[in-house]
Structures are given as structure tokens and as C-alpha cells.
Amino acid sequence: MGKRTIASPPPPIPRLPFMPSNMVEVILPSHKQQNNRSAIDQLRSCYLKYSSLVSLMVILVIFLLLDWPKSSRHTLTVQTESYSKIAIPIHEVIDEIDVLWAAPTKRESNKSSPCGILFVAHGCNHAHTDWFVKCPQGCLGLPEEVAIVDLALERNLVVVAVSSENRDFKCWLPEVDGPRVASVLQKISEKYAPASSLLPIWAFGASSGGALVSVLGNYIKLQGYLSQIMARPPEQTIPESCIVYLTMEHDSMTRSMAKQILASRITDGRNAQHIRLPPLAISSPDFFSKRIGSVSNSNSESMVQSLQQGGFLDSQGYLKDDPRGSDWRSAVQPFAESDTLMADQSAISEVMNAAYSMHEMSREGVAKGLDFCMSVLPSSSSACG
């Protein structure tokens, strides 16, 4: 048998923008040489087949680009922009505790190093993975939590999140979780400053998380805390610490408790604040797309119109009934795409609850509360001033 000559493989096909995935990876069929064909014939045949395939692909790509739906272009743009500013946390195990934490970049804070730490505590039925979109073990990235992280990073704070020890009801037990959280915060702070001069630490928590941060000062020195949809009296009164209660308009019981607690404190009001969160009007067409990065403007507008037509909104755009008990899901389901609309897991569900202002994590008022707490920081720790 004569010596076999194998033709050199053709150069790789260049990738073209917006080419569908099933047309990018093209594997040419293997070319078997026949004994009675010369090397020149083989090369010519391969070239002809290759050039024909490339020509066909170019024509198809041009057609697809010209006929690419405008809605698809818009959706891609929205998703790219929404994820470009989201913090990617560091995953670390500290004292056998799974920790996610993110430090501000110079782009976010315009400063060279962090000036403090914000610990964030989830509510019942949630976890520390709610606070970030991208993380090694998979994060849920709920919109209100992600927005709160962004607010802290913009203020040059390191954001630290852990889950409660109880993974059945996923609520916090202060006597159990207090020491765990304190140990983590101590180690994170030592990364930036020696133990003798730890970074200032604040804490934010909602519902069960609000109860935890109210007593966290028993286990580690806090500069203050923000308790949302939970009003529990602090167990320690530190003159220079701040206390902020964020209560929702339809939650009259928590609002009343917050007023009583602040009225009973021996304070001139300099270190305590009560922020009331009114309902949010679902009237603007981009209401959902502005709060949820993965929702396109067109789907947002469709959801708002469907809620209006379904009678779920009043004339000003406010929800008539608590979404935890109404049938609003039937109105937005056709435009929800991959959102499951399941309670405690759905971005849209969380935003609906926040809009009603009864009992939900919300970014509303957090910026004001953080600014207040950082403004009353003692002069000896003025790096955040």
C-alpha cells in the first residue's frame, strides 16, 4: 500500500457577533482519503467543501442579524447592564462557618481602603446566598438584598453575610448565632486592621435578622444597627451607638413598638431614628425593570398594565390588597419568564411585597439609615465621615 498523504486542516472559522450557538461551533466531517486520489485532488476537494460551507454560514449569519428581533436585542442589553455593577463576593470558611463577603472597589467608593463593616442578616426562610448574584456555590441574588449590598459598598463598607445555624426554619437564634457572627466579624475586621483597632462595625437585619442585630452588641462591639420590620429593645445601651428602626406602613404593630422603644430611651434623639417606609406605587412602566435587573422594560410595562387591568391596583398605582394573599401571580405569569413567582425565592414576589409595605426586605430607607449611623460615628473613628 502506498504512503498516505493527509491534507493540512483548514484554518478555524472566525466567530461573528450575535451568531446563534448552534451555528458557532461547526465541526467539519472527517475527510477520508481514497487510495486512487492524489494529495492535490484531496486538497482541492477539501477547499471546495470548506469554502461552500463558509459562504453558506456567512449568508445565514447576515440574514439572522437583519431579522434579529428587537425584543431579544433589548433583553440582552438589559441583562448585560444589570450584571455589570453587581458585586462578586469572596467565599470563605471561617471557624467552620460559610461566609460570603465583598469589599468595595475604588470605582464604587473612590477611596483606597474600607472604612467599616456592615453585617447583613437575612429573615426566616432565607440564607446568606440571597445577598449576591454571582458566587461559587450558587446565589439567589434577590433584588432588595442585592441593592442593599450596593448601597453599603458605595459607602466604602465591607459587606459580610452568613446564614443562621438553624436550616430548618432558617431563623436566627441570638444565643446561638450571636457568637458565630461575632467570630466571623472579628476575623474579617482583622484582615484590614489589627485587633487593637478593628474597623467600625454596623449591622442590618430584617425580621428575624432584625432581632439578631438588636442583640449582636452583646457579643462584639457595634457602632450601631438598622432593624427592619422588627422592633426589639436593645439589650445594651451604648451612648455613641446608633439605632435605626425601619418599619412598613401597613405593619402598625411594629411601628408602634418602635415608637415606644425610642420614647423610652434616655436620649436626645441624636443616636436614634425611626424611618417609616410608605407603600410604593406600581404606576411607572419601568417599575419592575428598575428594581429587578433581569426584567426587560417591555415585560415590566406588560406586568404593570396587567395588574392595572386585573384590578389589583388603585387609581394611583398602589396595591389594593396584601400580595401574600391575593391572586396577582395570574396577572404577571405570562411575562415572568424564568421567575418562579414562589414566595421567598422570587424576585418579582419580593418586589410586590415591598411595594405593599407590610413585611418584606426592602432597600427603601436603608441609604438614609446608613448615612445617619455613619454621621454619628465617634470622632476617634472618623474614617467613614
Side-chain angles (χ1 to χ4, degrees):
M1 180 180 294
K3 184 177 180 181
R4 301 176 64 186
T5 303
I6 300 177
S8 300
I13 300 173
R15 289 179 179 267
L16 297 175
F18 295 101
M19 182 180 290
S21 58
N22 66 334
M23 294 190 66
V24 171
E25 300 295 336
V26 177
I27 302 177
L28 296 176
S30 61
H31 179 63
K32 293 184 179 181
Q33 296 178 322
Q34 299 180 10
N35 293 336
N36 60 343
R37 298 180 62 182
S38 66
I40 295 178
D41 291 336
Q42 295 167 32
L43 286 172
R44 182 182 296 110
S45 175
C46 184
Y47 170 77
L48 291 173
K49 289 185 178 181
Y50 173 69
S51 59
S52 299
L53 181 57
V54 170
S55 299
L56 178 61
M57 289 180 62
V58 170
I59 293 172
L60 288 174
V61 169
I62 292 174
F63 173 78
L64 289 171
L65 285 174
L66 291 174
D67 196 45
W68 192 268
K70 293 182 178 179
S71 60
S72 297
R73 291 195 197 109
H74 180 73
T75 301
L76 288 172
T77 302
V78 169
Q79 291 177 347
T80 300
E81 291 176 352
S82 65
Y83 283 95
S84 62
K85 299 179 181 178
I86 290 176
I88 299 177
I90 297 171
H91 176 229
E92 188 172 355
V93 177
I94 300 176
D95 294 339
E96 300 182 353
I97 301 170
D98 200 73
V99 183
L100 290 171
W101 62 281
T105 64
K106 189 174 182 180
R107 179 195 65 186
E108 292 160 335
S109 66
N110 294 320
K111 295 184 180 180
S112 57
S113 59
C115 69
I117 293 174
L118 179 68
F119 168 69
V120 289
H122 60 77
C124 291
N125 299 316
H126 288 274
H128 67 322
T129 49
D130 290 1
W131 298 94
F132 301 96
V133 171
K134 297 180 180 180
C135 54
Q137 67 271 55
C139 281
L140 185 57
L142 291 173
E144 301 306 303
E145 284 86 338
V146 170
I148 292 170
V149 171
D150 287 343
L151 291 172
L153 294 176
E154 290 171 359
R155 286 159 177 74
N156 205 27
L157 300 176
V158 176
V159 182
V160 181
V162 304
S163 290
S164 59
E165 176 74 13
N166 184 312
R167 291 287 83 198
D168 292 328
F169 297 102
K170 302 178 182 178
C171 298
W172 297 93
L173 296 174
E175 63 276 11
V176 174
D177 292 303
R180 296 174 63 246
V181 172
S183 175
V184 169
L185 294 177
Q186 177 84 16
K187 298 293 175 55
I188 296 292
S189 184
E190 289 174 358
K191 293 178 182 291
Y192 295 94
S196 58
S197 59
L198 297 179
L199 288 177
I201 300 173
W202 291 274
F204 168 88
S207 192
S208 175
L212 173 70
V213 301
S214 300
V215 301
L216 191 56
N218 293 337
Y219 305 98
I220 193 170
K221 182 180 178 180
L222 286 184
Q223 298 297 333
Y225 64 83
L226 292 77
S227 177
Q228 191 175 81
I229 55 177
M230 171 62 69
R232 173 172 177 168
E235 295 188 7
Q236 286 188 343
T237 302
I238 305 173
E240 66 271 19
S241 68
C242 75
I243 295 178
V244 177
Y245 292 110
L246 300 104
T247 64
M248 291 191 152
E249 193 63 25
H250 286 107
D251 185 2
S252 58
M253 183 173 67
T254 303
R255 185 172 67 251
S256 176
M257 291 176 62
K259 288 182 178 179
Q260 293 178 20
I261 293 170
L262 295 185
S264 65
R265 281 176 56 86
I266 303 175
T267 176
D268 58 3
R270 182 176 63 88
N271 299 325
Q273 192 174 74
H274 179 198
I275 301 174
R276 295 174 59 169
L277 310 181
L280 305 175
I282 306 177
S283 53
S284 173
D286 61 354
F287 175 81
F288 291 100
S289 57
K290 285 180 66 175
R291 299 186 80 93
I292 308 172
S294 59
V295 174
S296 68
N297 285 337
S298 59
N299 279 344
S300 177
E301 182 175 6
S302 296
M303 284 191 283
V304 173
Q305 291 177 349
S306 185
L307 289 170
Q308 291 171 338
Q309 294 168 1
F312 296 97
L313 306 177
D314 65 16
S315 59
Q316 294 180 310
Y318 295 105
L319 285 164
K320 295 179 180 179
D321 301 304
D322 188 341
R324 293 184 185 273
S326 70
D327 187 33
W328 61 270
R329 289 174 174 81
S330 62
V332 305
Q333 179 68 59
F335 318 104
E337 294 187 343
S338 60
D339 193 306
T340 64
L341 301 182
M342 294 177 61
D344 300 320
Q345 299 179 28
S346 160
I348 297 175
S349 175
E350 181 178 67
V351 168
M352 288 287 288
N353 291 336
Y356 185 71
S357 190
M358 175 63 188
H359 192 85
E360 184 60 87
M361 182 84 67
S362 177
R363 72 191 75 180
E364 302 299 320
V366 175
K368 182 178 180 180
L370 285 176
D371 290 341
F372 171 76
C373 280
M374 295 172 75
S375 72
V376 299
L377 190 69
S379 57
S380 59
S381 305
S382 58
C384 286

